[in-house]
Structure formats: structure tokens, C-alpha cells
Amino acid sequence: IKTQAYHSMLGAHYTLHDCTAGYTHLTDEERAATRVLVTAGFRGATGAEMDELPNLALICCVGTGYEGIDVQAALARGIRVSHGAGVNAGAVADHAMALLLSAVRAIPHQDRLTRSGAWNYTETPRPLVSRKKMGIFGMGGIGAALARRAAAFDIEVSYHSRTPKTDLPYAYVASLRELAEASDYLVACVPGGPSTQHAVNAEVLEALGPKGYFFNVGRGSVVDTAALIAALQSGTIKGAGLDVFETEPDVPAELCALENVVLTPHMAGNAPEVQEMAADLIRENITAFNEGRALVSPVPEMRALTPAI
Ligand code: NDP
């Protein structure tokens, strides 16, 4: 990973090689001596990349999402995999609320007008943020943290995930389309991958309706981008706030041209406090591995493995 903060936090304890662009710059000795790979979910590691490091024993993903890591390839090679379970849930939930407030109250647009000297506080009054209904797609760490924040805004929460959460007070909705239909705000907090690919499609956006807003802090692949652009252009939905994109780091020009979207560069989970927690968790996993103990935050596929590796 490129992020300088991780290089300095982990570099104080281990010998680091920057392999963002590959492994060809490493000598044979350096490859053989490399035991741990630290990566990000959207970058990941393929089986072929794992084979570049013959003694690789542990892959640590900095964040929660690890869809870019071929976990089955790792496990088949006896390589353990950890992830940053829960480290950035609060940061992502904060950011989802920031996108929501920005989009509904048109903060970026009003900021531009005010800076330009156009003092126009009566221009199209913006709706209340509060006293609305939020549908959360994915009630995991991020979804639950977002629900708590939404409740403080007097927003009624319901959700859709694979399984109902009996320990949470929010209404479970069996299908995403029905969730969209019942919501003013639909927020995607699910992982990427085949099971969620384009789950938010034209039908779901149609169900959200002309007063509805869509927010995505999960993964870009969760939404059919062409359908989203069409829905935003035609007024099928009112607006959107997006932190993740199917083609990131490229953002479609059609989205950039729209006034009714707020865009941020996949930064929701990134904060200095989060980087520190993630680096600490990576160190705890490496220490556990070195001492022959179970990993502190293995990916679920590893937890399910018998016999354990
Ligand atoms: P969790 O694993 O805690 O929760 C994921 C939730 O998604 C669970 O409720 C799960 O359902 C649900 N889910 C998964 N697949 C499906 C599916 N096919 N249909 C319906 N629901 C599904 O993850 P987090 O909340 O910590 O993070 C969620 C995702 O957010 C990450 O995987 C990552 O992709 C993204 N993320 C984005 C960041 C950013 O900067 N924008 C930063 C961090 C994460 P169930 O509970 O029933 O299993």
C-alpha cells in the first residue's frame, strides 16, 4: 500500500518493501525473507502475486473490505489472512452522514454560490434532513454505526442484509427493492463481489423514487452506474452522495456534470485515528502469528476453516 502513514507506523517495527507496483525490484533474498504482505481491499493480492513471495505466510488487509484478496488461493497455500474488521466503521458512518447532509441541504452548491457573491438564501428551499426514513443496505459494523447516528437525527431506520439482526431495534426488510420503496434515503454499506454486483439497479432506483436519495459508502460495484446516472439525469431519484465508484479512480464525466450529486474519492474510512488503529491491529496479528497464536482478526473464511491453519 502507498499510504505514507502505514509506512512510518509499521516501518518502526519491521523491514518494509514498497510492492505497490509489483515485486520485480526485490532481490531473491528479499523475496525469500518476506513473510507478511500488507495490502488494501481494493488492491488485494492474486494467487500469482502470492507465488512471487515463496515464504509468504500472512496477508494483512488494512481495512474491513478484502474483496481484492484471493482468500481461497491464500488458504490453499497455507497463507493466513487478517483484515481490519471494524476499525473504520465509525469513520465511514460519519462520512455517510456528511454525504447525506451535503446532498440534501445542497451544501457544495450553496458554498459555491456564496463564494461567488450570489447571496440567495431563498433559492429552492431544501428539505429537512430529519423526520425521514433511511434504508440501510448491509447492517454490519458500518450499517449499525450509521443507524445510531441517523437515530440522533430523528431518522427512522430499517435495513436489508442477508440475515435479520435480532439484537438490533431496526425493522428488517426482506428485499432491497422493498427497502428502497419504504425509504427517503437508501445507503449502501455492503461489501463488493459477485453477490452484491449491481444490486442497486434501475428497478431499485425507480422504487426509491423522485424524492429519494442514494448514498454509497460500500463498493462502487454495488450500483449499476449507468442506471444511476440515468436516474439522476431524469429525476427518477432526487440526488446521490458517492464515496466509491465502479471505475475508480476514474469518475464518469456524466456524474461530475450533475449538480444533484456529492462526490468524494473513497476517503470515508480514512482518518489518522483509523490509520493508527489499523496499524496497531496489523501489528497484533503479526505478533500473534509470530507467537504461534490464532490471528486477532482473521477473515471469516479463515475462522470457518477446520482444521485451522
Ligand atoms: P460487515 O462485514 O460488518 O457487514 C457487511 C454487511 O453487508 C452485513 O450486514 C452483511 O449481511 C451484508 N451483506 C453482505 N453481502 C450481502 C448480500 N449479498 N446481500 C445483502 N447483504 C449483504 O462489513 P462493514 O460494515 O465493516 O463494511 C462493509 C463494506 O464497506 C466493506 O466490505 C467495504 O467494502 C466497505 N468499506 C468502505 C470504506 C470506504 O472508505 N468507503 C471503508 C471500509 C469499508 P449479513 O450480516 O447478513 O452477513
Side-chain angles (χ1 to χ4, degrees):
I1 50 168
K2 273 199 212 127
T3 316
Q4 197 49 46
Y6 289 111
H7 285 244
S8 47
M9 284 186 280
L10 296 172
H13 304 275
Y14 312 105
T15 304
L16 297 188
H17 301 293
D18 185 345
C19 297
T20 317
Y23 305 89
T24 48
H25 62 295
L26 299 182
T27 64
D28 288 347
E29 289 73 25
E30 285 169 337
R31 283 174 197 241
T34 301
R35 303 282 286 152
V36 181
L37 179 66
V38 178
T39 187
F42 53 84
R43 168 66 174 85
T46 63
E49 285 179 293
M50 295 169 203
D51 292 338
E52 299 270 356
L53 303 168
N55 295 314
L56 184 64
L58 173 63
I59 298 177
C60 297
C61 185
V62 291
T64 309
Y66 56 92
E67 74 284 356
I69 300 175
D70 188 339
V71 175
Q72 295 312 325
L75 299 183
R77 289 162 174 76
I79 298 170
R80 304 187 203 189
V81 185
S82 73
H83 69 139
V87 286
N88 51 16
V92 180
D94 286 350
H95 196 83
M97 284 307 298
L99 287 175
L100 192 157
L101 291 161
S102 300
V104 176
R105 298 296 300 169
I107 302 295
H109 171 71
Q110 297 297 348
D111 177 78
R112 279 192 294 275
L113 284 186
T114 308
R115 283 167 199 265
S116 75
W119 184 265
N120 188 355
Y121 65 87
T122 56
E123 190 217 31
T124 324
R126 308 295 304 187
L128 273 185
V129 167
S130 55
R131 305 212 315 248
K132 297 281 166 38
K133 293 184 175 172
M134 176 186 284
I136 300 183
F137 178 31
M139 189 48 84
I142 294 171
L146 175 60
R148 290 194 296 274
R149 284 153 177 77
F153 274 85
D154 205 8
I155 294 169
E156 191 183 320
V157 171
S158 54
Y159 69 99
H160 172 70
S161 56
R162 288 172 297 201
T163 49
K165 314 292 162 204
T166 48
D167 55 334
L168 293 177
Y170 317 110
Y172 178 74
V173 180
S175 86
L176 181 56
R177 199 197 58 75
E178 287 171 75
L179 183 73
E181 203 165 49
S183 302
D184 301 295
Y185 312 133
L186 179 67
V187 191
C189 307
V190 280
S195 81
T196 57
Q197 173 82 17
H198 287 192
V200 177
N201 55 21
E203 190 196 354
V204 169
L205 294 167
E206 177 92 40
L208 184 59
K211 289 186 178 166
Y213 288 81
F214 171 66
F215 299 95
N216 194 359
V217 290
R219 283 291 183 258
S221 59
V222 171
V223 63
D224 178 342
T225 307
L228 176 63
I229 291 169
L232 286 163
Q233 286 171 336
S234 64
T236 301
I237 66 169
K238 178 96 177 153
L242 309 171
D243 184 54
V244 287
F245 304 87
E246 276 194 274
T247 50
E248 63 185 58
D250 297 325
V251 179
E254 295 96 324
L255 280 177
C256 297
L258 286 165
E259 269 292 335
N260 55 346
V261 286
V262 178
L263 310 172
T264 55
H266 199 150
M267 56 170 284
N270 201 6
E273 297 91 331
V274 170
Q275 291 176 342
E276 250 174 64
M277 282 192 288
D280 285 347
L281 190 55
I282 289 168
R283 287 183 54 207
E284 285 173 35
N285 276 298
I286 296 174
T287 304
F289 165 75
N290 282 339
E291 293 175 356
R293 290 186 280 114
L295 296 183
V296 179
S297 57
V299 295
E301 292 90 330
M302 252 204 73
R303 257 184 266 136
L305 211 64
T306 44
I309 60 167

